[in-house]
Amino acid sequence: MDGCLHCVFTWQKACSIFHTQGWKHLRRSFSTEKVIHKDHSLPNPSWSKDLRLLFDQFMKKCEDGSWKHLPSSECKVPQRIHSFKTYFLDSKPVKEDQLSQARPFTRSYEVGQGFEYAMFYNEDEKRTVCLFQGGPYLEGPPGFLHGGALATMIDTTLGVCTISCMGLFMTANLNINFKSPIPLCSVVVISSQLDKVEGRKVFVSCNVRSVDEKTLHSDATGLFIKLDPEKSLT
Amino acid sequence: MDGCLHCVFTWQKACSIFHTQGWKHLRRSFSTEKVIHKDHSLPNPSWSKDLRLLFDQFMKKCEDGSWKHLPSSECKVPQRIHSFKTYFLDSKPVKEDQLSQARPFTRSYEVGQGFEYAMFYNEDEKRTVCLFQGGPYLEGPPGFLHGGALATMIDTTLGVCTISCMGLFMTANLNINFKSPIPLCSVVVISSQLDKVEGRKVFVSCNVRSVDEKTLHSDATGLFIKLDPEKSLT
């Protein structure tokens, strides 16, 4: 397969599969024996009042089963999970000592410094919402969030939306409009939805708004390509 | 001004202005009195052989003046540099204790863990090249770089290309095709160029290739909007 894929499949997303599609699917892919599972998407002392209030509101929505909270974990499965890389392509191998230090990008900072977020999924509406607070280590322009940090969370949210609805996918295209800068350490709501499916292609979109919904910070579209466990991607 | 801007203007980019357009411009924007300036784009022990070789090749190209090495610094200018935020918009103010912890996103990791890169600029050709090694804390799919980490470096490189050519700009749109996953800790070359200028809009593009140039990992376009120091952006 030519010209296809990138990085939706993070640990964070893998973990969402644990909870939306069960362990069986991931066990099959990873041949894992033991998983250390800690949920990083629960409130911690770095969360602002805005983030806590929004989290509580969405947890309330989960009570009738219409929304589900998607846990976010590092899922530290040593060594063998990395056999996943053979899934991808005949790329230059990564040294084991480097892999042993690997951390999922969106959970690689200490609490409060980087990406603080929680995700919720509505199966009927094929929607995923990410409540995101960008910490002080994600600065772009002085006092504002870096565009790459927002792109990271947009990629992650669209990826989770796709995976939650359709299974394992990788990003093929991201098209992001940056409308208004996001003040550092503030909270935004990334609302994504599945728009269309064409064969192995899934089209998703999202917008990024302030907590009071008055400011549209960004909108974006994503194209994702389904991973086929029986096929190499090259 | 409506629907326009985002986060190209990082410290890293600010520092490139110091060296391409001189201090005067930035002094005017920041009203800074003292700058601590350490260049993070020089070889360090975490750099692979590939990155060192490429760096040496580009430094060689700098000898006849056709290319320039763009230093990358945190430029820790305490307090008053953050008055830059008034440049942007009537956004919710960021608390001073949070701002005091702020770090530029692409230089927020310890040496070797995150974004290791060096940039070079060719004024005649309006091109900027970024040599980028993504560390183990930037993992997306197991063993591979997160798409958001690549988007971050694409945003940064296109931004530097624009700023180096044209002055202060902010990202309005990024459109990224992910063609082939990048193995974690490997080196890629991001080659960007200025394509077109229309009033305050600048159109740039780039591709991301492996060191041996055989693999096209990604291509992207960017739209940047010029900042006018005399005008608010809202």
Side-chain angles (χ1 to χ4, degrees), chain B residues 190-208:
Chain B
I190 306 173
S191 301
S192 67
Q193 62 184 35
L194 188 146
D195 295 324
K196 193 171 60 173
V197 179
E198 287 180 359
R200 291 175 67 190
K201 295 180 181 175
V202 176
F203 299 83
V204 285
S205 60
C206 73
N207 62 61
V208 183

Side-chain angles (χ1 to χ4, degrees), chain A residues 4 6-7 9 11 50 92 102-103 105 108-109 136-137 139 141 145-147 172-179, chain B residues 4 6-7 9-11 50 92 102-103 105 108-109 136-137 139 141 145 147 172-179:
Chain A
C4 50
H6 216 80
C7 302
F9 197 91
W11 304 118
D50 282 344
K92 194 177 167 185
R103 288 194 191 182
F105 183 36
S108 61
Y109 289 97
Y137 282 30
E139 189 178 54
L145 189 77
H146 194 290
N173 175 268
L174 280 182
N175 191 342
I176 304 173
N177 294 310
F178 297 97
K179 305 271 187 179
Chain B
C4 51
H6 216 78
C7 304
F9 197 90
T10 65
W11 304 118
D50 282 344
K92 194 177 168 184
R103 288 194 190 182
F105 183 36
S108 62
Y109 289 97
Y137 282 30
E139 189 177 54
L145 189 77
N173 175 268
L174 280 183
N175 191 343
I176 304 174
N177 294 309
F178 298 96
K179 305 269 188 180

Side-chain angles (χ1 to χ4, degrees), chain B:
Chain B
M1 184 176 169
D2 180 50
C4 51
L5 319 170
H6 216 78
C7 304
V8 143
F9 197 90
T10 65
W11 304 118
Q12 194 279 332
K13 294 155 199 168
C15 293
S16 77
I17 298 173
F18 289 141
H19 295 268
T20 54
Q21 301 182 26
W23 286 82
K24 197 180 284 181
H25 181 84
L26 230 59
R27 276 222 178 99
R28 203 166 53 236
S29 300
F30 287 146
S31 307
T32 177
E33 286 162 350
K34 186 183 175 187
V35 172
I36 303 159
H37 194 194
K38 181 188 170 189
D39 186 1
H40 294 271
S41 71
L42 297 175
N44 68 55
S46 79
W47 283 27
S48 66
K49 192 178 168 187
D50 282 344
L51 187 51
R52 285 168 186 273
L53 280 172
L54 276 171
F55 181 84
D56 289 344
Q57 286 171 17
F58 271 89
M59 288 303 280
K60 193 88 180 162
K61 289 183 183 182
C62 293
E63 288 176 2
D64 66 2
S66 58
W67 286 83
K68 283 179 184 163
H69 174 230
L70 299 175
S72 168
S73 308
E74 289 183 32
C75 297
K76 287 196 172 295
V77 186
Q79 308 302 329
R80 297 181 63 181
I81 197 163
H82 290 297
S83 65
F84 184 76
K85 68 179 182 287
T86 60
Y87 205 153
F88 284 91
L89 72 177
D90 54 352
S91 61
K92 194 177 168 184
V94 183
K95 290 175 185 167
E96 279 304 320
D97 63 327
Q98 291 171 325
L99 276 184
S100 67
Q101 299 173 50
R103 288 194 190 182
F105 183 36
T106 62
R107 297 297 184 191
S108 62
Y109 289 97
E110 297 300 312
V111 167
Q113 291 176 345
F115 300 93
E116 291 292 336
Y117 62 97
M119 291 206 191
F120 295 86
Y121 169 60
N122 185 312
E123 188 165 5
D124 290 342
E125 298 176 7
K126 308 293 185 200
R127 287 175 58 203
T128 299
V129 167
C130 175
L131 315 175
F132 169 46
Q133 175 183 298
Y137 282 30
L138 309 184
E139 189 177 54
F144 292 90
L145 189 77
H146 194 291
L150 180 58
T152 298
M153 286 313 302
I154 285 174
D155 182 26
T156 303
T157 304
L158 291 177
V160 168
C161 184
T162 304
I163 288 171
S164 297
C165 299
M166 306 289 295
L168 280 180
F169 279 75
M170 296 291 281
T171 318
N173 175 268
L174 280 183
N175 191 343
I176 304 174
N177 294 309
F178 298 96
K179 305 269 188 180
S180 172
I182 298 172
L184 205 61
C185 303
S186 68
V187 176
V188 293
V189 179
I190 306 173
S191 301
S192 67
Q193 62 184 35
L194 188 146
D195 295 324
K196 193 171 60 173
V197 179
E198 287 180 359
R200 291 175 67 190
K201 295 180 181 175
V202 176
F203 299 83
V204 285
S205 60
C206 73
N207 62 61
V208 183
R209 289 187 179 275
S210 57
V211 172
D212 64 9
E213 298 187 357
K214 288 180 182 170
T215 306
L216 176 63
H217 290 293
S218 176
D219 57 41
T221 59
L223 166 61
F224 290 77
I225 307 283
K226 188 173 177 64
L227 293 180
D228 184 342
E230 304 305 320
K231 293 177 185 170
S232 164
L233 298 177
T234 55

